Amino acid sequence: MSAVPGGREPARAVPPHRSFGEEGARLSYGAYLRLPQVLAQQVPHSSAPDELLFITVHQVYELWFKLLLHELEAARDAMVGGELWRASHLLSRVHAVERVLVEQVDVLETMTPQDFMEFRAVLAPASGFQSVQFRELEFLSGAKDPAYLDRLRGASDAETTRLRRRLSEPTLWDAYLTALSQRGLSVSDDEIMESLLTVARDRGSHDDLWRLAEDLLTHDETAALWRMRHVQMVERQIGTKSGTGGSSGAPYLRGRALLHYFPLLWEMRSWL
């Protein structure tokens, strides 16, 4: 019977004659990470040498997206709960991951357009446009677009349900407004800018709110850097060809490159 509240056994010291690993759950590295299952998921649909590269990079992107969703949800909840320091800590991790997303494009660009054309035809109508997790990130960050659900091809019922939930749940901006209101600052439409300026001008009283706003803006900026880096890569690979999913390709992506999650934080600069 555990003497620790919550039912967990206290950590035991490792006897000096035994190594730390011998006290674990007898897991191997591969079993813990489920590597046989993970490494079985890269299945090319052609004999083109670079298709493995293409699949691997995009699967890694989806893993990063999963982590970003986890961290951004936690940051949102921390803001609502008044733990602004924790929200800033989690957002700093988000920034680090987003910088990796930008740099990861370099790996994909080692594939030449000729290499890509060897297998591009087998992708259609699959497209990055169909990434449900990426759209969840946009919705959670504040860029909600209900029309996307009507344009989404091939999504499962579970994925559609997730997207509808993201459309209805609070965003990062909603959480920041909650943090402002908890500090006694107005978040009404006609007074929100004045509240943001109060935070910016009175760092002595509101430095945690200011730093959190800067963290949100960095998330916005690094996400935009990835979108711009991505469109440049697409233009380098296929020029102005249409996307495999039916979009206009690079022109569509370039149109979204200037998207802002937190437009008021950008506009506030003009009033300082």
Side-chain angles (χ1 to χ4, degrees):
M1 187 171 179
S2 173
V4 179
R8 290 183 297 176
E9 292 291 339
R12 298 188 179 92
V14 179
H17 62 282
R18 301 182 69 180
S19 67
F20 172 76
E22 292 179 277
E23 301 301 313
R26 304 299 190 268
L27 280 172
S28 69
Y29 176 80
Y32 177 68
L33 296 178
R34 299 178 63 85
L35 288 182
Q37 295 90 333
V38 171
L39 297 178
Q41 303 309 308
Q42 297 75 49
V43 183
H45 288 248
S46 75
S47 59
D50 281 7
E51 192 180 359
L52 178 61
L53 166 69
F54 187 86
I55 291 172
T56 301
V57 169
H58 285 81
Q59 287 185 344
V60 171
Y61 268 128
E62 291 293 333
L63 289 173
W64 285 127
F65 292 164
K66 181 176 182 177
L67 178 62
L68 287 173
L69 286 168
H70 175 77
E71 303 298 341
L72 288 174
E73 281 186 342
R76 178 195 60 191
D77 295 345
M79 281 189 272
V80 172
E83 295 182 297
L84 304 192
W85 64 270
R86 178 166 174 76
S88 286
H89 168 69
L90 293 167
L91 286 168
S92 69
R93 181 177 298 161
V94 167
H95 305 156
V97 172
E98 288 172 332
R99 289 192 291 270
V100 172
L101 298 186
V102 176
E103 294 172 357
Q104 199 166 287
V105 177
D106 291 345
V107 179
L108 203 53
E109 281 194 336
T110 63
M111 177 178 63
T112 68
Q114 298 93 317
D115 296 330
F116 186 35
M117 290 305 152
E118 287 188 43
F119 65 90
R120 183 175 185 253
V122 306
L123 301 179
S127 167
F129 180 85
Q130 299 159 0
S131 172
V132 172
Q133 287 198 119
F134 179 72
R135 207 61 61 172
E136 285 187 83
L137 286 169
E138 290 197 330
F139 289 2
L140 179 57
S141 296
K144 292 184 177 181
D145 181 7
Y148 175 77
L149 273 67
D150 297 327
R151 303 192 299 267
L152 183 61
R153 294 182 182 177
S156 67
D157 290 342
E159 289 173 325
T160 302
T161 298
R162 282 199 340 249
L163 285 171
R164 293 192 185 283
R165 176 171 61 85
R166 296 292 183 194
L167 283 172
S168 63
E169 70 183 16
T171 66
L172 292 172
W173 181 244
D174 294 327
Y176 186 71
L177 293 183
T178 297
L180 288 178
S181 66
Q182 289 172 346
R183 194 64 59 84
L185 297 166
S186 175
V187 295
S188 64
D189 290 345
D190 56 346
E191 294 182 299
I192 180 61
M193 182 57 71
E194 190 58 40
S195 294
L196 294 175
L197 290 170
T198 296
V199 169
R201 290 167 177 164
D202 188 0
R203 298 276 300 278
S205 301
H206 303 299
D207 189 60
D208 52 351
L209 285 169
W210 168 258
R211 286 186 285 109
L212 186 56
E214 290 292 276
D215 290 333
L216 290 173
L217 208 65
T218 300
H219 165 49
D220 201 344
E221 186 175 37
T222 50
L225 286 173
W226 181 81
R227 287 193 298 271
M228 180 56 70
R229 188 71 183 88
H230 181 241
V231 71
Q232 290 173 329
M233 180 270 295
V234 170
E235 289 175 332
R236 183 167 180 166
Q237 292 292 334
I238 65 171
T240 58
K241 293 186 181 76
S242 62
T244 50
S247 75
S248 61
Y252 165 78
L253 296 172
R254 189 165 289 282
R256 295 185 62 80
L258 300 179
L259 173 70
H260 280 160
Y261 293 147
F262 314 110
L264 287 181
L265 292 181
W266 294 97
E267 181 186 341
M268 183 258 292
R269 267 73 184 155
S270 301
W271 295 90
L272 283 176

